[in-house]
Amino acid sequence: MINTDELRDRARATLDPAAWQYLAGTAGASETADRDALAWHAFDLVPRFLRGLASVDTAARIGADELSTPVMVAATAAHRLAHPDAEIATAAGASAAGALMVYSSSATLEVGEFARSVTGPWWAQVYLMRDRERTRDYLRRVVAAGASALVLTVDYVGVTGTARFGSATSTPLPVRPGNYPGLSWPEMTAGIEPDLTIDDIDWVATQTGLPVWVKGVLHPADAALLAARGVAGIIVSNHGRRQLDGVLPTAHALGPVVSAVAGRVPVLVDGGIRSGADVARALALGAAGVGIGRPVLWALAAGGAAGVELLLRGLTTDLRQVMASLGAASVAGLTPDLLRRRSD
Ligand SMILES: Cc1cc2nc3c(=O)[nH]c(=O)nc-3n(C[C@H](O)[C@H](O)[C@H](O)COP(=O)(O)O)c2cc1C
């Protein structure tokens, strides 16, 4: 079984302290990202037996992409902080494991350069910049580079929480943004538009013609609004607790969001997913796929592309075993009745 704690400790030992602080940071002094991971454990697994499981298939459809696993790489910035081969190494590991990668607009490699070396499926994340011309230019390059969908992140409101985290995100990192020539790291983060409206989604869609998934949704009313608006899909995420101290763990946001969209659009989730059992929990609550954030960066730091492949394959193998134990032959067989929420 994959042990992400071990991976985290190896990464911490490998990385320089400033890089580690950037990757590990959360918005609050009181909480670490572990709170999201622990929340998944509130759902006990209730196995079914006697179902004659001849085989177990982890194949998943995420948007238009047919994949061999529902485990995805969540969009994370600055992979060069973790490894010199940066986002190209992550993509190589993801594609070897059959996993979809979401490329971050805050990548250290420019999107065209990234895409030239990528063989697997990938989507592009986008932050709307205050200077729309920068976003227009990025989106033009994303389309030319061949992304199959966009992920618009809507939960960045420009607040960096504690002074410690603020200084981790605004300190000039020893890397430069790949997609915004001329901007330093703090200039790029300061350039993200904090004042988004629902009409901005249409603006992004018309710039590209690509399906737009909206990332950072936690409230069921927002989910219902987005489903009615006809977005391609919704990503339940609290940005790895990097935006708001005390924010609801995604394990508890997912079920109400799935109910609110009532099957109109697919739902993905990320935050604290650390094991095959967590993946199974998320799918049983109605997610079509799950994003992995920090553990991918830890794997990248510890082992480059091979490390990322090992992590994603390991989570998929562990998922297959959990599915067998639960009596689920396919991801569609992971249903809410296989979970019981503890009251303690
Ligand atoms: C170092 C780091 C950088 C991130 N950069 C981005 C980003 O550029 N765009 C984005 O939408 N989300 C970003 N995220 C949030 C992730 O996409 C994801 O929501 C979160 O990491 C999932 O939680 P996990 O780290 O517990 O798996 C980042 C997260 C981390 C840890």
Side-chain angles (χ1 to χ4, degrees):
M1 272 174 60
I2 276 290
N3 182 336
T4 50
D5 288 347
E6 214 171 87
L7 208 52
R8 179 198 56 213
D9 294 344
R10 282 178 57 196
R12 196 197 322 240
T14 311
L15 290 168
D16 77 68
W20 170 258
Q21 197 188 336
Y22 177 73
L23 303 186
T26 54
S30 63
E31 298 179 329
T32 68
D34 293 346
R35 185 152 172 235
D36 281 319
L38 285 172
W40 292 105
H41 292 257
F43 295 94
D44 284 332
L45 302 169
V46 188
R48 299 276 321 261
F49 299 111
L50 306 168
R51 291 179 141 188
L53 279 191
S55 64
V56 173
D57 187 359
T58 61
R61 186 189 164 89
I62 303 180
D65 291 286
E66 301 282 354
L67 299 147
S68 57
T69 176
V71 177
M72 308 164 51
V73 175
T76 51
H79 291 198
R80 203 188 291 279
L81 284 180
H83 194 276
D85 296 336
E87 288 80 12
I88 284 177
T90 314
S95 122
L100 178 67
M101 170 168 172
V102 183
Y103 164 91
S104 165
S105 57
S106 308
T108 32
L109 274 174
E110 190 272 328
V111 66
E113 197 185 341
F114 164 80
R116 273 193 286 284
S117 330
V118 172
T119 54
W122 63 282
W123 296 359
Q125 180 268 345
V126 53
Y127 285 119
L128 222 56
M129 301 298 277
R130 294 174 198 267
D131 176 351
R132 294 293 194 274
E133 197 38 54
R134 286 198 191 279
T135 304
R136 220 181 251 125
D137 169 61
Y138 168 66
L139 292 175
R140 263 196 295 267
R141 286 181 285 116
V142 161
V143 171
S148 49
L150 289 177
V151 169
L152 174 65
T153 303
V154 297
D155 61 5
Y156 188 93
V157 294
V159 178
T160 47
T162 59
R164 200 168 122 248
F165 184 56
S167 69
T169 51
S170 62
T171 306
L173 295 170
V175 287
R176 292 191 73 82
N179 286 302
Y180 305 108
L183 293 191
S184 68
W185 204 269
E187 284 165 346
M188 175 185 68
T189 47
I192 297 172
E193 174 65 82
D195 181 23
L196 294 185
T197 71
I198 195 140
D199 294 333
D200 291 318
I201 300 168
D202 295 343
W203 184 84
V204 169
T206 46
Q207 295 301 311
T208 61
L210 291 174
V212 180
W213 292 65
V214 176
K215 173 172 183 277
V217 177
L218 294 168
H219 200 297
D222 282 348
L225 207 67
L226 290 165
R229 192 80 174 197
V231 298
I234 287 170
I235 306 182
V236 171
S237 173
N238 62 24
H239 214 114
R241 308 199 86 71
R242 290 163 81 82
Q243 301 300 323
L244 175 64
D245 194 24
V247 70
L248 181 68
T250 52
H252 299 312
L254 177 59
V257 164
V258 167
S259 300
V261 307
R264 285 174 289 173
V265 296
V267 176
L268 305 175
V269 67
D270 67 37
I273 292 169
R274 300 290 179 263
S275 69
D278 292 344
V279 180
R281 288 172 167 117
L283 298 185
L285 287 168
V290 305
I292 312 294
R294 292 180 185 81
V296 168
L297 296 167
W298 302 334
L300 183 63
V308 173
E309 179 184 353
L310 215 63
L311 167 72
L312 299 170
R313 269 191 200 283
L315 287 172
T316 304
T317 303
D318 294 350
L319 169 66
R320 191 176 293 112
Q321 257 162 38
V322 174
M323 287 169 66
S325 301
L326 288 172
S330 68
V331 295
L334 288 165
T335 45
D337 57 295
L338 301 175
L339 301 179
R340 182 80 43 83
R341 185 167 172 179
R342 278 202 303 267
S343 50
D344 54 44

Short mmCIF file of all heavy atoms in Angstrom, two decimals, residues 120-157:
data_model
loop_
_atom_site.label_atom_id
_atom_site.label_comp_id
_atom_site.label_asym_id
_atom_site.label_seq_id
_atom_site.Cartn_x
_atom_site.Cartn_y
_atom_site.Cartn_z
N GLY A 120 0.24 12.04 -22.55
CA GLY A 120 -1.04 11.64 -21.94
C GLY A 120 -2.07 12.76 -21.99
O GLY A 120 -1.78 13.87 -22.45
N PRO A 121 -3.28 12.47 -21.52
CA PRO A 121 -4.34 13.49 -21.50
C PRO A 121 -4.06 14.56 -20.45
O PRO A 121 -3.57 14.25 -19.37
CB PRO A 121 -5.59 12.70 -21.13
CG PRO A 121 -5.08 11.49 -20.40
CD PRO A 121 -3.71 11.20 -20.94
N TRP A 122 -4.37 15.81 -20.77
CA TRP A 122 -4.18 16.89 -19.79
C TRP A 122 -5.19 18.00 -20.00
O TRP A 122 -5.65 18.24 -21.11
CB TRP A 122 -2.75 17.44 -19.84
CG TRP A 122 -2.38 18.10 -21.15
CD1 TRP A 122 -2.03 17.45 -22.30
CD2 TRP A 122 -2.35 19.50 -21.44
NE1 TRP A 122 -1.78 18.37 -23.30
CE2 TRP A 122 -1.96 19.64 -22.80
CE3 TRP A 122 -2.59 20.65 -20.70
CZ2 TRP A 122 -1.82 20.88 -23.42
CZ3 TRP A 122 -2.46 21.89 -21.31
CH2 TRP A 122 -2.07 21.99 -22.66
N TRP A 123 -5.53 18.65 -18.90
CA TRP A 123 -6.39 19.83 -18.89
C TRP A 123 -5.53 21.00 -18.41
O TRP A 123 -4.50 20.79 -17.76
CB TRP A 123 -7.56 19.67 -17.93
CG TRP A 123 -8.53 18.59 -18.24
CD1 TRP A 123 -8.52 17.74 -19.30
CD2 TRP A 123 -9.68 18.24 -17.46
NE1 TRP A 123 -9.59 16.88 -19.24
CE2 TRP A 123 -10.32 17.17 -18.11
CE3 TRP A 123 -10.24 18.74 -16.27
CZ2 TRP A 123 -11.49 16.58 -17.60
CZ3 TRP A 123 -11.39 18.17 -15.77
CH2 TRP A 123 -12.02 17.09 -16.44
N ALA A 124 -6.00 22.20 -18.67
CA ALA A 124 -5.26 23.39 -18.22
C ALA A 124 -6.10 24.16 -17.20
O ALA A 124 -7.27 24.47 -17.46
CB ALA A 124 -4.92 24.28 -19.39
N GLN A 125 -5.48 24.45 -16.06
CA GLN A 125 -6.12 25.31 -15.05
C GLN A 125 -5.88 26.76 -15.45
O GLN A 125 -4.87 27.09 -16.08
CB GLN A 125 -5.51 24.99 -13.68
CG GLN A 125 -6.07 25.81 -12.51
CD GLN A 125 -5.27 27.06 -12.26
OE1 GLN A 125 -4.15 27.21 -12.76
NE2 GLN A 125 -5.82 28.00 -11.52
N VAL A 126 -6.81 27.63 -15.08
CA VAL A 126 -6.63 29.05 -15.37
C VAL A 126 -7.13 29.89 -14.19
O VAL A 126 -8.15 29.58 -13.58
CB VAL A 126 -7.34 29.46 -16.69
CG1 VAL A 126 -8.79 29.05 -16.72
CG2 VAL A 126 -7.24 30.96 -16.94
N TYR A 127 -6.34 30.90 -13.83
CA TYR A 127 -6.80 31.97 -12.96
C TYR A 127 -7.07 33.14 -13.88
O TYR A 127 -6.24 33.46 -14.75
CB TYR A 127 -5.70 32.44 -12.01
CG TYR A 127 -5.38 31.53 -10.86
CD1 TYR A 127 -4.11 30.98 -10.73
CD2 TYR A 127 -6.32 31.27 -9.87
CE1 TYR A 127 -3.79 30.16 -9.65
CE2 TYR A 127 -6.00 30.45 -8.79
CZ TYR A 127 -4.75 29.91 -8.68
OH TYR A 127 -4.43 29.11 -7.63
N LEU A 128 -8.20 33.81 -13.67
CA LEU A 128 -8.42 35.04 -14.42
C LEU A 128 -7.48 36.09 -13.86
O LEU A 128 -7.42 36.27 -12.63
CB LEU A 128 -9.88 35.48 -14.22
CG LEU A 128 -10.58 35.99 -15.45
CD1 LEU A 128 -10.54 34.95 -16.56
CD2 LEU A 128 -12.02 36.32 -15.11
N MET A 129 -6.72 36.76 -14.72
CA MET A 129 -5.82 37.82 -14.25
C MET A 129 -6.55 39.16 -14.34
O MET A 129 -7.43 39.35 -15.18
CB MET A 129 -4.55 37.85 -15.11
CG MET A 129 -3.75 36.54 -15.10
SD MET A 129 -3.14 36.05 -13.48
CE MET A 129 -1.64 37.03 -13.38
N ARG A 130 -6.15 40.09 -13.45
CA ARG A 130 -6.75 41.44 -13.49
C ARG A 130 -6.56 42.03 -14.89
O ARG A 130 -7.44 42.68 -15.43
CB ARG A 130 -6.05 42.37 -12.50
CG ARG A 130 -6.25 41.99 -11.03
CD ARG A 130 -5.39 42.91 -10.18
NE ARG A 130 -5.15 42.41 -8.85
CZ ARG A 130 -5.90 42.72 -7.78
NH1 ARG A 130 -6.94 43.49 -7.90
NH2 ARG A 130 -5.60 42.23 -6.59
N ASP A 131 -5.39 41.78 -15.45
CA ASP A 131 -5.10 42.21 -16.81
C ASP A 131 -5.58 41.10 -17.75
O ASP A 131 -4.89 40.10 -17.98
CB ASP A 131 -3.58 42.44 -16.94
CG ASP A 131 -3.16 42.80 -18.35
OD1 ASP A 131 -4.01 42.72 -19.27
OD2 ASP A 131 -1.98 43.14 -18.54
N ARG A 132 -6.81 41.28 -18.30
CA ARG A 132 -7.42 40.20 -19.10
C ARG A 132 -6.58 39.84 -20.32
O ARG A 132 -6.67 38.73 -20.84
CB ARG A 132 -8.83 40.60 -19.55
CG ARG A 132 -9.83 40.75 -18.43
CD ARG A 132 -10.11 39.40 -17.76
NE ARG A 132 -11.31 39.49 -16.92
CZ ARG A 132 -11.33 39.91 -15.65
NH1 ARG A 132 -10.21 40.25 -15.05
NH2 ARG A 132 -12.46 39.97 -14.98
N GLU A 133 -5.78 40.80 -20.80
CA GLU A 133 -4.95 40.49 -21.97
C GLU A 133 -3.97 39.35 -21.65
O GLU A 133 -3.68 38.52 -22.49
CB GLU A 133 -4.22 41.76 -22.44
CG GLU A 133 -3.66 41.67 -23.86
CD GLU A 133 -4.58 40.90 -24.84
OE1 GLU A 133 -5.77 41.23 -24.99
OE2 GLU A 133 -4.07 39.92 -25.45
N ARG A 134 -3.49 39.32 -20.42
CA ARG A 134 -2.58 38.22 -20.02
C ARG A 134 -3.32 36.88 -20.07
O ARG A 134 -2.78 35.87 -20.50
CB ARG A 134 -2.07 38.44 -18.59
CG ARG A 134 -1.03 39.52 -18.47
CD ARG A 134 -0.27 39.39 -17.16
NE ARG A 134 0.54 40.57 -16.92
CZ ARG A 134 1.73 40.79 -17.47
NH1 ARG A 134 2.24 39.90 -18.29
NH2 ARG A 134 2.40 41.89 -17.21
N THR A 135 -4.58 36.89 -19.60
CA THR A 135 -5.36 35.64 -19.61
C THR A 135 -5.68 35.23 -21.05
O THR A 135 -5.58 34.05 -21.40
CB THR A 135 -6.68 35.84 -18.81
OG1 THR A 135 -6.32 36.29 -17.51
CG2 THR A 135 -7.46 34.55 -18.70
N ARG A 136 -6.04 36.22 -21.86
CA ARG A 136 -6.35 35.94 -23.26
C ARG A 136 -5.15 35.28 -23.95
O ARG A 136 -5.27 34.28 -24.64
CB ARG A 136 -6.71 37.25 -23.97
CG ARG A 136 -7.86 37.09 -24.92
CD ARG A 136 -8.19 38.38 -25.64
NE ARG A 136 -9.44 38.91 -25.16
CZ ARG A 136 -9.60 40.13 -24.68
NH1 ARG A 136 -8.59 40.96 -24.60
NH2 ARG A 136 -10.78 40.54 -24.28
N ASP A 137 -3.99 35.84 -23.69
CA ASP A 137 -2.76 35.32 -24.30
C ASP A 137 -2.49 33.89 -23.80
O ASP A 137 -2.18 33.00 -24.59
CB ASP A 137 -1.60 36.26 -23.94
CG ASP A 137 -0.27 35.65 -24.29
OD1 ASP A 137 -0.06 35.39 -25.50
OD2 ASP A 137 0.56 35.42 -23.38
N TYR A 138 -2.65 33.67 -22.49
CA TYR A 138 -2.43 32.33 -21.94
C TYR A 138 -3.42 31.34 -22.57
O TYR A 138 -3.04 30.25 -23.01
CB TYR A 138 -2.59 32.37 -20.40
CG TYR A 138 -2.68 31.01 -19.76
CD1 TYR A 138 -1.59 30.12 -19.77
CD2 TYR A 138 -3.85 30.57 -19.12
CE1 TYR A 138 -1.68 28.86 -19.18
CE2 TYR A 138 -3.93 29.33 -18.52
CZ TYR A 138 -2.85 28.48 -18.55
OH TYR A 138 -2.94 27.23 -17.97
N LEU A 139 -4.70 31.73 -22.64
CA LEU A 139 -5.72 30.82 -23.18
C LEU A 139 -5.47 30.49 -24.65
O LEU A 139 -5.68 29.36 -25.09
CB LEU A 139 -7.12 31.40 -22.97
CG LEU A 139 -7.58 31.47 -21.50
CD1 LEU A 139 -8.94 32.17 -21.39
CD2 LEU A 139 -7.67 30.07 -20.89
N ARG A 140 -4.99 31.48 -25.40
CA ARG A 140 -4.63 31.22 -26.81
C ARG A 140 -3.58 30.13 -26.88
O ARG A 140 -3.66 29.21 -27.69
CB ARG A 140 -4.08 32.50 -27.45
CG ARG A 140 -5.11 33.30 -28.24
CD ARG A 140 -4.44 34.32 -29.17
NE ARG A 140 -3.70 35.36 -28.44
CZ ARG A 140 -4.21 36.54 -28.09
NH1 ARG A 140 -5.46 36.84 -28.39
NH2 ARG A 140 -3.48 37.43 -27.44
N ARG A 141 -2.58 30.23 -26.01
CA ARG A 141 -1.50 29.24 -26.02
C ARG A 141 -1.99 27.88 -25.53
O ARG A 141 -1.54 26.85 -26.01
CB ARG A 141 -0.31 29.76 -25.19
CG ARG A 141 0.44 30.87 -25.93
CD ARG A 141 1.64 31.40 -25.18
NE ARG A 141 1.27 32.27 -24.08
CZ ARG A 141 1.50 32.02 -22.80
NH1 ARG A 141 2.11 30.91 -22.44
NH2 ARG A 141 1.13 32.88 -21.87
N VAL A 142 -2.92 27.88 -24.58
CA VAL A 142 -3.50 26.62 -24.06
C VAL A 142 -4.21 25.86 -25.19
O VAL A 142 -4.04 24.66 -25.36
CB VAL A 142 -4.49 26.92 -22.90
CG1 VAL A 142 -5.42 25.76 -22.65
CG2 VAL A 142 -3.72 27.27 -21.63
N VAL A 143 -5.00 26.60 -25.97
CA VAL A 143 -5.75 25.98 -27.06
C VAL A 143 -4.77 25.43 -28.10
O VAL A 143 -4.88 24.27 -28.54
CB VAL A 143 -6.75 26.98 -27.70
CG1 VAL A 143 -7.37 26.41 -28.96
CG2 VAL A 143 -7.83 27.36 -26.69
N ALA A 144 -3.79 26.24 -28.46
CA ALA A 144 -2.81 25.80 -29.47
C ALA A 144 -2.03 24.59 -28.96
O ALA A 144 -1.65 23.71 -29.75
CB ALA A 144 -1.84 26.95 -29.78
N ALA A 145 -1.82 24.50 -27.65
CA ALA A 145 -1.04 23.40 -27.08
C ALA A 145 -1.84 22.11 -26.98
O ALA A 145 -1.27 21.04 -26.79
CB ALA A 145 -0.51 23.81 -25.70
N GLY A 146 -3.18 22.19 -27.09
CA GLY A 146 -3.98 20.97 -27.17
C GLY A 146 -4.62 20.49 -25.87
O GLY A 146 -4.92 19.29 -25.75
N ALA A 147 -4.86 21.37 -24.90
CA ALA A 147 -5.57 20.93 -23.68
C ALA A 147 -6.98 20.47 -24.07
O ALA A 147 -7.58 21.04 -24.98
CB ALA A 147 -5.68 22.10 -22.70
N SER A 148 -7.51 19.45 -23.37
CA SER A 148 -8.85 19.00 -23.75
C SER A 148 -9.95 19.65 -22.92
O SER A 148 -11.12 19.52 -23.25
CB SER A 148 -8.97 17.47 -23.72
OG SER A 148 -8.49 16.94 -22.53
N ALA A 149 -9.59 20.34 -21.84
CA ALA A 149 -10.60 21.08 -21.05
C ALA A 149 -9.88 22.13 -20.21
O ALA A 149 -8.65 22.09 -20.06
CB ALA A 149 -11.38 20.13 -20.15
N LEU A 150 -10.68 23.05 -19.67
CA LEU A 150 -10.14 24.09 -18.78
C LEU A 150 -10.69 23.92 -17.38
O LEU A 150 -11.84 23.49 -17.22
CB LEU A 150 -10.58 25.47 -19.26
CG LEU A 150 -9.97 26.01 -20.54
CD1 LEU A 150 -10.61 27.36 -20.85
CD2 LEU A 150 -8.46 26.16 -20.40
N VAL A 151 -9.88 24.28 -16.41
CA VAL A 151 -10.32 24.32 -15.02
C VAL A 151 -10.18 25.77 -14.55
O VAL A 151 -9.06 26.28 -14.45
CB VAL A 151 -9.46 23.40 -14.14
CG1 VAL A 151 -9.74 23.63 -12.66
CG2 VAL A 151 -9.69 21.93 -14.50
N LEU A 152 -11.32 26.44 -14.33
CA LEU A 152 -11.28 27.83 -13.86
C LEU A 152 -11.35 27.82 -12.33
O LEU A 152 -12.35 27.38 -11.76
CB LEU A 152 -12.45 28.62 -14.45
CG LEU A 152 -12.61 30.05 -13.93
CD1 LEU A 152 -11.43 30.93 -14.33
CD2 LEU A 152 -13.93 30.67 -14.44
N THR A 153 -10.28 28.28 -11.70
CA THR A 153 -10.25 28.31 -10.23
C THR A 153 -10.89 29.60 -9.74
O THR A 153 -10.46 30.68 -10.14
CB THR A 153 -8.80 28.20 -9.73
OG1 THR A 153 -8.24 27.00 -10.26
CG2 THR A 153 -8.72 28.17 -8.21
N VAL A 154 -11.91 29.46 -8.88
CA VAL A 154 -12.68 30.65 -8.47
C VAL A 154 -12.51 31.00 -6.99
O VAL A 154 -13.13 31.93 -6.50
CB VAL A 154 -14.19 30.48 -8.79
CG1 VAL A 154 -14.40 30.36 -10.29
CG2 VAL A 154 -14.80 29.30 -8.06
N ASP A 155 -11.66 30.25 -6.29
CA ASP A 155 -11.60 30.45 -4.83
C ASP A 155 -10.40 31.26 -4.36
O ASP A 155 -10.10 31.31 -3.19
CB ASP A 155 -11.64 29.10 -4.10
CG ASP A 155 -10.46 28.20 -4.45
OD1 ASP A 155 -9.55 28.64 -5.18
OD2 ASP A 155 -10.45 27.05 -3.99
N TYR A 156 -9.73 31.93 -5.31
CA TYR A 156 -8.58 32.74 -4.92
C TYR A 156 -9.05 34.18 -4.77
O TYR A 156 -9.33 34.84 -5.76
CB TYR A 156 -7.46 32.63 -5.97
CG TYR A 156 -6.18 33.30 -5.53
CD1 TYR A 156 -5.19 32.58 -4.89
CD2 TYR A 156 -5.99 34.66 -5.73
CE1 TYR A 156 -4.02 33.19 -4.46
CE2 TYR A 156 -4.83 35.28 -5.31
CZ TYR A 156 -3.85 34.54 -4.67
OH TYR A 156 -2.70 35.15 -4.25
N VAL A 157 -9.15 34.65 -3.53
CA VAL A 157 -9.64 36.02 -3.34
C VAL A 157 -8.54 36.96 -2.88
O VAL A 157 -8.80 38.06 -2.39
CB VAL A 157 -10.86 36.07 -2.39
CG1 VAL A 157 -12.05 35.37 -3.01
CG2 VAL A 157 -10.53 35.48 -1.04
#
